[in-house]
């Protein structure tokens, strides 16, 4: 059965002309034991909520996963799909690309992201188990792991946090072959990797990864241990190909038909290209029978819970919002409109989230050691090794892992993950942000400290260029609200958006109430709208802004109106939503033939789309400085006077 993996992988790589044979040839026995004796899965229902999750974190070895999915009977991974490995449109892409219906649980291109996703999946399972009980949620998460996953910095963050949380249903198989792409691991590492896990509180077993009985015993021990488990599997890279095994070229060196012939002779394999002997094929297909039986009994248990539990379970897994969610947001809007008070923008976001926590039990908030300044814990209890019902994950100072585990939680399903930190630290989350956008995962990335307005912490904490970079990321919705009412609308938009991640960007400083309409209409949902229309004649100037700088545009409008210049203010909390509107709406909002000036305490990049070549921009041209917020705005010329003057000179 293990050799069936090897030959399918080699045949696919030979057909494609390239690939990475090291992982499938070296981990074939490990995968065979897992799938044939321990894994809970049913190819007839790839998205069954109580299935085990399998993550191929060393995703370059994708033919290992594709071979397994084909052999076990996943419909999407047909033999034709395997034959089209790495071809345009193939489900069997160069690296595994997120497609749950095909059995591919997450995208694993950048090394380390997969194990961090697996951590999030294990957290989601533990929480849903506490919420719904063993009868409905009781499964495990398994990850195939290479040296690269553990050498990337995110790997250490994952090891520490998983050990601290004692996630006993999480198991890593480390492909300990002592080879990386450059050559021997001795070139770049000298530590005892297994000891890293032991120190962090993991259960560790070191075995021969080609010994079927040893692998089986190690997995059984892992399932019995309350700690997360790392099975260190000593393997030979490219096992079976005499020319490459144990060598640097075993990773991804070009294969030739002669290599396959040598491997067939060594293992006594008589099947031709893409040909699996009938008895071996039947043995592989039989591996799914226990999972099919488990799914059938699970369905019976779900049916026995009663309609109320079934309805809530199905709603939760589907990710639909419960009744009362929008009403809670609208109630907050009405309250904000009535009070019309200035407040710290990130605190406002925390207030809104707090109003949702009770009505929306799916929310789990992960925060990178910033509970007090971000205000998003509120009444939530902590998710800990002793309390899996908790919904606030203290991630420590680990933004890399936090963003990626949030992706894993979203990929798992059943929870709505928030990842909360300062915007300048989003660079630590960059791989996770990009993978969430690429996979279309509905993660809510919540950011504070969005501009020079954070003041005396200085330029390291003032993300002048980051908003532009997030807006440039395909499928990343960026929302930067200007006051409490827009913040509530931004949350409503974010929760209803299911086809990709959302970056909710809030200011540290206090923002005045600019909106006083607290009704159900979500004006922000169209991306931009006229906050204040021109008065005293046809509009001559359009001032456009986002977030904390909208108040500056409002002040500039007052100056221009006092001079008899009809001026409108456009609040543009979301560029992508505005771009999606029809041309007539965009033209009406921006004002045809008017002078346009944009103001944002960030770099200009991208604003040309809305102001045109002749438009004005008031913002940043470099990095920030240390000082009080009001002094910094004056120092960098981001003032109402500057905005008004930028309009005057263009009239």
């Amino acid at each position: 059965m293990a050799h069936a993996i090897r030959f399918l992988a080699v045949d696919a790589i030979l057909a494609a002309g390239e690939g990475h044979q090291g992982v499938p040839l070296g981990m074939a026995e490990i995968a065979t034991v897992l799938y044939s004796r321990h894994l809970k899965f049913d190819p007839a229902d790839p998205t069954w909520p109580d299935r085990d999750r399998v993550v191929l974190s060393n995703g370059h070895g994708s033919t290992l996963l594709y071979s397994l999915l084909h052999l076990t009977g996943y419909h999407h991974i047909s033999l034709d799909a395997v034959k089209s490995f790495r071809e345009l449109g193939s489900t069997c892409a160069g690296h595994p690309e997120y497609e749950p219906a095909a059995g591919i649980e997450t995208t694993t291109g950048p090394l380390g992201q997969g194990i961090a996703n697996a951590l999030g999946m294990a957290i989601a399972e533990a929480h849903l188990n506490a919420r719904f009980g063993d009868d409905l949620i009781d499964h495990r998460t398994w990850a195939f792991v290479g040296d690269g996953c553990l050498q990337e910095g995110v790997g250490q963050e994952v090891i520490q946090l998983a050990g601290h949380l004692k996630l006993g249903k999480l198991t890593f198989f480390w492909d300990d072959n002592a080879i990386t792409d450059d050559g021997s691991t001795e070139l770049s590492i000298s530590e005892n990797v297994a000891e890293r896990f032991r120190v962090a509180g993991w259960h560790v077993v070191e075995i021969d990864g080609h010994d079927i009985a040893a692998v089986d015993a190690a997995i059984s021990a892992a399932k019995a241990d309350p700690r997360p488990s790392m099975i260190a599997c000593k393997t030979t890279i490219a096992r079976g190909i005499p020319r490459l095994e144990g060598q640097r070229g075993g990773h991804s060196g070009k294969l030739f038909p002669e290599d396959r012939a040598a491997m067939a002779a060594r293992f006594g394999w008589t099947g031709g290209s893409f040909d699996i002997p009938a008895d071996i094929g039947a043995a592989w297909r039989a591996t799914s029978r226990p999972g099919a039986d488990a799914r059938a009994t699970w369905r019976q248990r779900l049916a026995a819970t009663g309609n109320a539990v079934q309805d809530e379970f199905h709603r939760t897994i589907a990710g639909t919002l419960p009744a009362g969610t929008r009403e809670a947001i609208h109630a907050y809007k009405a309250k904000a409109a009535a009070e019309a008070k200035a407040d710290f923008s990130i605190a406002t976001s925390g207030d809104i989230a707090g109003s949702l926590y009770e009505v929306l039990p799916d929310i789990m908030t992960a925060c990178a050691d910033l509970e007090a300044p971000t205000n998003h814990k509120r009444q939530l209890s902590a998710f800990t090794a002793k309390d899996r019902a908790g919904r606030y994950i203290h991630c420590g100072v680990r933004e890399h892992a936090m963003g990626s585990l949030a992706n894993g939680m979203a990929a798992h399903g059943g929870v709505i993950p928030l990842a909360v930190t300062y915007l300048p630290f989003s660079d630590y989350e960059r791989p996770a942000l990009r993978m969430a956008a690429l996979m279309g995962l509905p993660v809510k990335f919540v950011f504070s400290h969005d501009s020079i307005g954070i003041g005396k912490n200085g330029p390291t904490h003032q993300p002048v260029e980051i908003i532009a970079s997030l807006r440039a990321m395909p499928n990343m919705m960026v929302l930067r609200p200007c006051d409490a009412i827009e913040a509530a609308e931004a949350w409503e938009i974010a929760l209803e958006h299911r086809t990709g991640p959302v970056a909710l960007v809030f200011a540290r400083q206090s923002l005045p109430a600019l909106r006083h309409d607290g009704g159900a209409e979500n004006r922000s949902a169209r991306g931009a709208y006229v906050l204040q229309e021109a008065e005293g004649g046809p509009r001559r100037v359009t001032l456009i802004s986002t977030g904390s700088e909208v108040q500056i545009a409002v002040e500039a409008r007052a100056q221009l109106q006092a001079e008899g210049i009809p001026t409108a203010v456009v609040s543009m909390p979301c560029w992508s939503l505005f771009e999606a509107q029809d041309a007539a709406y965009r033209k009406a909002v921006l004002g045809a033939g008017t002078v346009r000036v944009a103001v944002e305490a960030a770099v200009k990049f991208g604003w040309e789309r809305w102001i045109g070549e002749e438009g004005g921009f008031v913002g940043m041209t470099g990095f920030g400085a240390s000082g009080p917020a009001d002094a910094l705005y004056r120092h960098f010329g981001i003032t109402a006077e500057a905005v008004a003057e930028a309009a005057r000179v263009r009239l």
Side-chain angles (χ1 to χ4, degrees):
M1 291 173 70
H3 294 336
I5 294 173
R6 290 190 167 97
F7 282 93
L8 265 183
V10 166
D11 289 340
I13 292 169
L14 283 171
E18 60 179 358
H20 297 76
Q21 63 273 0
V23 171
L25 300 189
M27 302 192 81
E29 283 83 10
I30 303 161
T32 300
V33 175
L34 174 64
Y35 273 75
S36 65
R37 301 183 183 179
H38 297 276
L39 191 68
K40 183 167 68 171
F41 72 105
D42 184 2
D45 188 359
T47 58
W48 168 36
D50 201 33
R51 70 192 182 278
D52 283 0
R53 279 18 178 219
V54 175
V55 175
L56 183 72
S57 189
N58 44 354
H60 51 270
S62 56
T63 50
L64 173 66
L65 183 60
Y66 303 147
S67 297
L68 288 163
L69 295 174
H70 171 68
L71 290 166
T72 52
Y74 282 79
H75 174 72
H76 283 70
I77 312 298
S78 63
L79 188 59
D80 284 342
V82 177
K83 289 180 178 179
S84 67
F85 172 56
R86 285 182 170 249
E87 295 299 326
L88 181 63
S90 176
T91 306
C92 299
H95 288 72
E97 301 295 347
Y98 178 62
E99 191 170 348
I104 303 170
E105 302 283 6
T106 185
T107 293
T108 51
L111 292 176
Q113 290 298 301
I115 56 174
N117 292 168
L119 169 60
M121 292 173 183
I123 290 172
E125 189 280 338
H127 177 72
L128 290 170
N129 174 265
R131 183 176 170 189
F132 289 106
D134 289 347
D135 282 350
L136 299 186
I137 296 291
D138 185 13
H139 54 265
R140 309 184 71 87
T141 303
W142 312 86
F144 296 100
V145 183
D147 287 294
C149 302
L150 303 181
Q151 289 184 22
E152 291 285 359
V154 68
Q156 185 59 27
E157 295 185 12
V158 168
I159 294 167
Q160 291 175 340
L161 189 54
H164 173 71
L165 293 173
K166 295 182 171 58
L167 294 165
K169 294 180 183 177
L170 177 64
T171 300
F172 288 176
F173 298 101
W174 173 35
D175 187 17
D176 180 17
N177 56 30
I179 292 290
T180 60
D181 205 7
D182 278 353
S184 169
T185 52
E186 292 180 355
L187 294 171
S188 58
I189 189 171
S190 57
E191 68 183 350
N192 185 323
V193 174
E195 199 62 27
R196 288 169 60 191
F197 284 83
R198 291 191 179 96
V199 168
W202 287 58
H203 163 244
V204 179
V205 183
E206 299 180 66
I207 62 168
D208 177 351
H210 301 300
D211 184 329
I212 294 286
V215 174
D216 187 32
I219 295 175
S220 295
K223 291 164 68 174
D225 200 285
R227 298 168 291 177
S229 294
M230 195 276 271
I231 303 175
C233 306
K234 196 65 183 175
T235 61
T236 300
I237 196 169
R239 183 171 186 262
I241 297 180
R243 183 177 65 86
L244 295 175
E245 65 177 5
Q247 305 298 313
R248 172 184 179 181
H251 175 76
S252 59
K254 186 172 179 58
L255 294 185
F256 301 94
E258 294 79 11
D259 295 316
R260 187 193 191 281
M263 189 168 74
R266 177 170 176 177
F267 293 136
W269 187 264
T270 58
S273 178
F274 293 106
D275 177 28
I276 304 300
D279 57 336
I280 297 176
W284 266 113
R285 288 189 295 275
T287 61
S288 65
R289 290 173 189 162
D293 293 340
R295 182 171 70 91
T297 57
W298 175 87
R299 289 170 62 88
Q300 294 172 0
R301 293 195 302 271
L302 177 61
T305 60
N307 290 337
V309 173
Q310 286 186 64
D311 290 347
E312 179 63 5
F313 182 80
H314 287 307
R315 182 204 65 75
T316 300
I317 296 301
T320 55
L321 299 177
T325 302
R326 294 175 185 85
E327 289 77 4
I329 293 173
H330 296 165
Y332 182 89
K333 281 181 68 177
K335 177 175 178 288
E339 294 179 348
K341 67 176 183 178
D343 203 353
F344 293 97
S345 179
I346 188 61
T348 297
S349 175
D351 291 342
I352 297 166
S355 72
L356 292 167
Y357 286 155
E358 185 173 350
V359 71
L360 190 51
D362 314 21
I363 291 179
M364 289 191 76
T365 299
C367 188
D369 200 47
L370 295 169
E371 175 188 331
T374 59
N375 190 43
H376 277 70
K377 185 175 183 180
R378 305 302 298 271
Q379 68 267 37
L380 296 183
S381 61
F383 175 90
T384 68
K386 295 181 179 179
D387 182 10
R388 304 305 200 195
R391 294 161 59 195
Y392 191 89
I393 306 167
H394 288 276
C395 291
V397 190
R398 302 186 185 98
E399 278 93 353
H400 293 87
M402 179 182 71
S404 302
L405 71 85
N407 286 353
M409 293 165 69
H412 179 281
V415 295
I416 298 174
L418 313 183
V420 185
T421 189
Y422 293 176
L423 185 60
F425 305 153
S426 66
D427 281 342
Y428 292 127
E429 294 183 287
R430 183 67 52 166
L433 289 161
R434 185 170 183 268
M435 291 298 101
L438 192 152
M439 289 188 270
L441 296 175
V443 180
K444 320 305 175 191
F445 293 97
V446 182
F447 297 114
S448 176
H449 292 55
D450 67 339
S451 72
I452 62 170
I454 68 113
K456 295 183 180 181
N457 273 329
T460 60
H461 282 48
Q462 296 168 10
V464 298
E465 82 293 358
I466 293 177
I467 294 175
S469 71
L470 292 177
R471 288 171 176 155
M473 189 177 290
N475 204 35
M476 173 64 71
M477 181 181 288
V478 181
L479 290 153
R480 188 173 185 240
C482 72
D483 69 356
I485 289 179
E486 271 199 5
E489 292 179 344
W491 268 98
E492 184 176 23
I493 294 165
L495 289 173
E496 292 179 349
H497 185 63
R498 294 283 305 161
T499 57
V502 178
L504 290 154
V505 181
F506 297 98
R508 173 184 180 269
Q509 66 266 42
S510 180
L511 302 184
L514 299 178
R515 288 266 302 275
H516 303 283
D517 52 323
E521 180 189 4
N522 190 325
R523 299 177 70 190
S524 300
R526 301 189 77 172
Y529 61 93
V530 178
L531 175 66
Q532 294 183 346
E533 188 51 273
E535 298 175 350
R539 186 198 307 186
R540 297 181 63 196
V541 174
T542 302
L543 306 180
I544 316 168
S545 190
T546 74
S548 51
E549 288 73 61
V550 174
Q551 62 181 304
I552 295 176
V554 168
E555 293 169 8
R557 173 189 178 273
Q559 294 180 21
L560 292 169
Q561 283 286 160
E563 299 168 15
I565 303 171
T567 302
V569 172
V570 170
S571 179
M572 189 181 283
C574 184
W575 288 17
S576 59
L577 285 175
F578 185 60
E579 191 168 16
Q581 305 304 308
D582 60 73
Y585 178 78
R586 295 198 305 268
K587 183 177 180 180
V589 169
L590 295 176
T594 67
V595 166
R596 298 178 191 174
V597 177
V599 53
E600 189 171 56
V603 296
K604 182 180 179 181
F605 188 84
W607 273 106
E608 297 86 349
R609 170 70 175 82
W610 310 117
I611 61 177
E613 292 184 7
E614 303 301 322
F617 178 76
V618 176
M620 298 294 292
T621 58
F623 291 103
S626 181
D630 56 350
L632 289 176
Y633 274 88
R634 290 194 302 271
H635 174 75
F636 289 110
I638 306 174
T639 64
E641 292 74 17
V643 173
E645 181 59 21
R648 290 189 198 100
V649 299
R650 288 170 172 80
L651 287 170

